[in-house]
Structure formats: structure tokens, C-alpha cells
Amino acid sequence: MDRVISVSVGEVALKKGNRNFFEKKLLNQIKVATKDLGRPNVYRERGKMYVKANEDNLEALIKRVRKVFGIVHVSPGYKVNKEMKSIEKVSLKEIEEIRKTKEIGTFKVQCKRADKKFPLNSMEVARRVGGYILANTEGLNVDVHNPDIYIYVDIRDSAYIFSKKIKGYGGLPLGTNGRGLLLLSGGIDSPVAGFMIGKRGVSIEAVHYHSYPFTSERAEEKVKDLAKILSRYCGQIKLYSVNILNIQKEINKNCPSEEMTIISRRFMMRIAEKIARNNEIDCLITGESLGQVASQTMKGLNVTNSSVDIPVFRPLIGLDKTEITEIAQDIETFETSILPFEDCCTVFLPKHPVTRPKLDNIEKSEGSLDVDELIDNAVENMRIIDINI
Ligand code: ATP
Ligand code: MG
């Protein structure tokens, strides 16, 4: 008898002709996500994926594996020989384990048979296992319509027995859908944005802008911490750390103060576009949400957007702050995001930022800056940090 985690896929299963490609990617992502937990064997058996575990690493493995995109739920369970005696015994063990922590009165055994040569059919297996449990326990009944718990028996090359289903995030395996560059600030929104696009199979790299020494080193540490939390979902993340203090000073000196924010944002976008083009990245990702702050009005977003010529994905565009916060709490970035370290934008923050900027005016203001040279300098001096899971 082996301890295993069985993995249920969602959309991956719908990929018909490409299923093998998606499953291989998923298998690989599970291996990457678990390699520091003893490099467990991750394998496929008749179209289903399993992670071999032991009692010591089971809980840690569940926590990791459920975060891998493409997985709808994970089930801790047992792998046993394909014979009724073992199946009955382990099913009984599983239900007894559950009764230690949860009061249950009814159960139902559900059997699936990928191996059609197995001598008993699914109904017969379920009936036999149910009968065995009834005969060896007290205070339990079978309820086929609305049971307190299910005992699942999967008959493949071996038999698999499990009961719990722990939710994953669904989506598609990383690396099945191109690459994106996340503009990662220290706030609540941008990590959530990265999570959401990563969930659709996009490999994520990140760029962070700071104004050191106006902003503290702790502010950058915070962003690294956020990237680290994201990497539990998105795998290894390359973080480009770009100092834009010089650019901000130039804007401050040469442009109207109420345009500071919007012009800074256009620089951020342009620098990100340049990094993306240099690294074969297909899109930018931001945490912008329509109307959330002055620079994210419809007009503000349009003026920001027109600084670049690369697709920009804004997965939070229609979400309220409370909805974004809920996701941030769920993916465990929230607590880090709310730590009080300065973001670069606050350094030269105007008292009255324009809320309805006109592209003509902004472009005219930018005319007094050497945009290309400022960008080239910032990119030349950026640092690259590898964030590992
Ligand atoms: P967040 O919570 O993500 O900081 P926000 O509501 O504070 O978002 P803004 O500061 O206007 O909004 O930023 C909007 C988006 O621009 C962010 O979600 C992020 O994608 C990007 N951005 C802002 N500041 C930075 C920064 N210092 N480094 C990298 N990206 C940034
Ligand atoms: Mg911010």
C-alpha cells in the first residue's frame, strides 16, 4: 500500500488532440513545484496523474500540488494491489481515518473502472466494499443520494482509494500559452493580476520600478517577497528591477506637476515593452482596474496605453477592490502587499493629478524630454533577480 495524491485536471481534459502536450506540461510543473520536497515520483496511469507521497510529506505536498495551474482538485489517498481484499481493507481504513476528525452517519462507495478486464464491474465493487465497511463499523449507513462522504475506488493498473477532494485553481498548465511581463508594484493589485494571467498558462516574468535611494531597500525586499509567493503558482520568476529616479526627476523638472503620474506610467510601460521585446515576451500585464485611482480613469488608461505597441492585459479591469482583496487573501499575497513601504510613485506624487489627460498635451510635455535615452539608460542599469520557488 502506497500513499499517493491523485490529481484531477479541468480544462486540460478538454484539449482532445493536444491533451498529451498539456498533460506533459502539467506533469513537469508538478515536478518543479515539488522538487524540494524529496523529488517525489509524479506519474500518469491510464490517463490520470498521481504524486507518490509518504506520511511525512503528504500535507506539504498537497499544499504545493493544489497550487499548480491546470489542477481542479487533489485527493490524498492510497494505491493498493488490484484485488478485492486489499481494496476493502484500505477503504475501511480510509473511512475510519475520516471518522477521527469528522462526524459522519452515511457514506457511499463510488467505483470507476478504467481497467474493464477487472472481474467485477463498478456496481459490484461498490456493493462489496460498502458491505465490508458496514460489517466492520458501527453507526454508519449507506446513503446513495446524499451521503456525508464518498469513498472513491478507481481501478486502473493498481486500485486507488480516496475520499477527500481539495480544491485547486483550475486554469491551464504554465508554459502552454506564451510569456507575459508583469508590472509588479508592491501593492495589492499587481500580484493578483499576475496570478490570473499565469492561471491561463502564461509563463510570467516581472518588472519592478523603484526610486532608490528615495525608496528604501525594504521596499524592494517586499516586491521580492511578493514574487516569491507568486512563484509558488507561476514557477521561477525573473524579476527585472529598474531604477526610474532619474526619469522622475526629469519629468518633475520639465513637465507640469499634475501630469507627473501619467507620464511616469507611460515610461513604465515603454520600459516594460522594451524588456519584453528583448526577451521574446508576448504581452504586458498590469493590475489596473477601471476608475480605481486618478490614473486609471478611461482617459488615463487610454493615454497610458497609447505609449506602447504591445498587447497589455489588465485582468482586474472589471473587479472592485473588495473582489481583488479576496483573491489576494486567498493566494496569500495580501499580508505582504499591505506592509507599509513606499512605492516609487509616491515620491513625486502630485496633489492634483489629471484625471482626464489629453494625449496631445501629454505628448507635448514629453517633447521636452529625451525619452529614448532615458529609457535606454534605465534598461542598461537594471538588475535581474532570479526568484525561485
Ligand atoms: P497595485 O496595488 O498593484 O500597486 P495600484 O492600485 O496601486 O496597484 P497604480 O499604482 O496606479 O495602482 O498602478 C497600476 C499598475 O501599474 C499596477 O497594478 C502595476 O501593474 C503597475 N505599477 C505601478 N507601480 C509600479 C511599480 N513601482 N513597479 C512596477 N509596476 C508598477
Ligand atoms: Mg501601486
Side-chain angles (χ1 to χ4, degrees):
M1 178 181 76
D2 285 332
R3 216 46 173 124
V4 291
I5 297 168
S6 114
V7 171
S8 299
V9 299
E11 277 183 56
V12 174
L14 303 174
K15 294 290 175 198
K16 292 207 172 88
N18 283 329
R19 183 165 173 166
N20 198 36
F21 165 75
F22 280 87
E23 286 194 351
K24 272 195 181 146
K25 287 274 187 193
L26 183 57
L27 202 77
N28 192 48
Q29 286 305 328
I30 299 173
K31 282 185 182 165
V32 171
T34 56
K35 72 170 183 250
D36 65 325
L37 296 172
R39 290 188 184 273
N41 186 19
V42 184
Y43 62 97
R44 280 194 283 186
E45 193 175 299
R46 293 188 184 236
K48 184 130 185 159
M49 266 172 250
Y50 296 93
V51 183
K52 191 167 178 315
N54 56 51
E55 293 300 339
D56 292 335
N57 67 5
L58 184 70
E59 288 306 317
L61 278 175
I62 290 171
K63 249 180 127 174
R64 284 287 176 78
V65 177
R66 70 176 278 273
K67 288 180 177 162
V68 174
F69 292 139
I71 294 176
V72 178
H73 53 248
V74 295
S75 299
Y78 296 94
K79 173 185 177 185
V80 299
N81 287 338
K82 230 177 352 185
E83 51 180 40
M84 284 312 293
K85 231 191 189 116
S86 313
I87 295 172
E88 287 167 355
K89 268 195 181 153
V90 173
S91 299
L92 177 64
K93 177 180 161 67
E94 175 71 2
I95 210 164
E96 281 177 338
E97 283 296 318
I98 291 167
R99 289 181 94 187
K100 283 182 193 162
T101 55
K102 191 174 162 187
E103 196 146 328
I104 50 170
T106 58
F107 71 97
K108 175 181 179 177
V109 179
Q110 193 147 307
C111 175
K112 259 199 227 149
R113 232 172 28 137
D115 173 12
K116 301 290 180 208
K117 293 203 189 100
F118 192 71
L120 302 183
N121 71 26
S122 303
M123 290 292 282
E124 288 164 340
V125 172
R127 216 176 294 132
R128 281 271 297 270
V129 173
Y132 186 83
I133 292 173
L134 287 174
N136 289 282
T137 52
E138 278 179 15
L140 280 182
N141 288 305
V142 171
D143 181 344
V144 291
H145 299 296
N146 191 19
D148 293 337
I149 61 155
Y150 283 87
I151 296 289
Y152 299 97
V153 179
D154 264 8
I155 298 185
R156 295 172 186 269
D157 295 343
S158 301
Y160 291 88
I161 291 140
F162 54 92
S163 176
K164 287 187 203 143
K165 289 187 174 185
I166 299 160
K167 258 176 104 73
Y169 289 98
L172 296 166
L174 278 178
T176 58
N177 220 348
R179 286 144 50 78
L181 181 62
L182 170 67
L183 280 76
L184 181 62
S185 71
I188 296 169
D189 304 329
S190 44
V192 174
F195 168 86
M196 286 176 76
I197 297 297
K199 190 173 123 170
R200 298 310 300 167
V202 179
S203 301
I204 302 289
E205 300 195 356
V207 56
H208 174 66
Y209 302 103
H210 62 87
S211 324
Y212 186 81
F214 279 43
T215 51
S216 66
E217 267 173 43
R218 277 298 297 141
E220 186 176 291
E221 283 304 311
K222 174 182 165 182
V223 171
K224 281 201 243 168
D225 290 345
L226 284 171
K228 180 104 184 157
I229 300 171
L230 263 189
S231 77
R232 293 181 203 148
Y233 307 90
C234 298
Q236 194 189 48
I237 293 176
K238 214 183 217 183
L239 175 66
Y240 304 90
S241 178
V242 185
N243 191 327
I244 56 165
L245 180 57
N246 192 35
I247 294 176
Q248 289 179 305
K249 280 182 178 164
E250 285 299 305
I251 302 171
N252 196 42
K253 201 160 69 190
N254 296 296
C255 306
S257 83
E258 66 272 19
E259 292 175 1
M260 178 77 208
T261 309
I262 196 89
I263 295 178
S264 302
R265 303 207 46 80
R266 283 163 59 86
F267 270 92
M268 288 187 191
M269 299 297 276
R270 291 185 184 111
I271 294 170
E273 181 181 38
K274 180 149 190 154
I275 296 171
R277 298 225 185 275
N278 288 345
N279 293 280
E280 285 165 33
I281 297 174
D282 313 296
C283 69
L284 306 184
I285 304 158
T286 77
E288 288 158 313
S289 158
L290 195 54
Q292 196 188 77
V293 289
S295 60
Q296 294 172 34
T297 59
M298 182 67 83
K299 294 239 182 310
L301 284 175
N302 280 338
V303 171
T304 305
N305 202 53
S306 55
S307 59
V308 291
D309 189 21
I310 181 172
V312 182
F313 293 143
R314 300 178 171 87
L316 312 185
I317 199 73
L319 297 189
D320 293 350
K321 197 77 188 184
T322 50
E323 294 169 301
I324 298 168
T325 301
E326 270 171 32
I327 303 174
Q329 281 166 333
D330 184 41
I331 66 172
E332 295 167 350
T333 51
F334 183 74
E335 295 297 323
T336 306
S337 287
I338 58 174
L339 293 174
F341 296 109
E342 281 219 317
D343 188 28
C344 63
C345 316
T346 56
V347 174
F348 297 96
L349 209 61
K351 280 210 178 64
H352 303 289
V354 279
T355 52
R356 311 174 113 254
K358 289 215 170 65
L359 187 56
D360 284 354
N361 296 346
I362 299 294
E363 281 176 344
K364 213 191 277 161
S365 304
E366 285 175 350
S368 56
L369 305 170
D370 191 337
V371 173
D372 289 340
E373 192 182 314
L374 286 169
I375 290 175
D376 287 348
N377 274 337
V379 172
E380 261 164 43
N381 291 312
M382 75 187 175
R383 285 194 309 129
I384 303 177
I385 305 158
D386 280 323
I387 308 287
N388 295 307
I389 298 176

